[in-house]
């Protein structure tokens, strides 16, 4: 879900001309999928370093797997 939201936000920025990007909707969604996957890995690494509650880690890990799966589907 966050992949789609980031993709749509990037597309809105492109349409508003805030940045000098020229991306299609598909390019924006693909860019969003890359950002979503990268962000999740960083948070999981921080969680592991800080040794947070295993339940919180498991919930976020499951959400990360779902985001990665959605990213792969949108990319393909």
């Amino acid at each position: 879900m966050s992949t789609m939201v980031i993709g749509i936000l990037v597309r809105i920025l492109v349409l508003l001309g805030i940045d000098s990007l020229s991306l299609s909707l598909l390019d924006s969604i693909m860019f969003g999928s890359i950002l979503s996957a990268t962000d999740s890995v960083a948070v999981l690494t921080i969680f592991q370093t800080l040794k947070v509650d295993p339940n919180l880690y498991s919930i976020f890990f499951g959400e990360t797997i779902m985001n990665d799966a959605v990213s792969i589907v949108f990319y393909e």
Side-chain angles (χ1 to χ4, degrees), residues 14 16 22 26 29 33 35 38-39 41 43 48-49 51 56-57 61 65 69 72-73:
V14 169
L16 292 176
S22 58
L26 180 60
I29 292 174
S33 69
L35 288 179
T38 305
D39 185 46
V41 172
V43 172
Q48 191 172 22
T49 303
K51 299 185 186 338
L56 176 62
Y57 185 87
F61 182 76
I65 295 295
I72 291 168
V73 168

Side-chain angles (χ1 to χ4, degrees), residues 5 7 9-10 21 24 44 47 49 51-54 59 62 71 76:
V5 172
L9 289 175
V10 170
L21 297 173
S24 68
L44 284 173
F47 277 7
T49 303
K51 299 185 186 338
V52 298
D53 181 29
I59 290 169
S71 298
E76 293 296 323

Side-chain angles (χ1 to χ4, degrees), residues 6-75:
I6 292 174
I8 291 171
L9 289 175
V10 170
R11 182 65 180 162
I12 290 170
L13 289 175
V14 169
L15 291 175
L16 292 176
I18 293 175
D19 207 358
S20 60
L21 297 173
S22 58
L23 299 173
S24 68
L25 177 61
L26 180 60
D27 291 337
S28 299
I29 292 174
M30 287 174 52
F31 182 68
S33 69
I34 292 170
L35 288 179
S36 294
T38 305
D39 185 46
S40 302
V41 172
V43 172
L44 284 173
T45 303
I46 291 169
F47 277 7
Q48 191 172 22
T49 303
L50 296 176
K51 299 185 186 338
V52 298
D53 181 29
N55 289 332
L56 176 62
Y57 185 87
S58 297
I59 290 169
F60 194 81
F61 182 76
E63 194 265 341
T64 300
I65 295 295
M66 184 66 164
N67 274 348
D68 290 346
V70 169
S71 298
I72 291 168
V73 168
F74 277 142
Y75 185 76

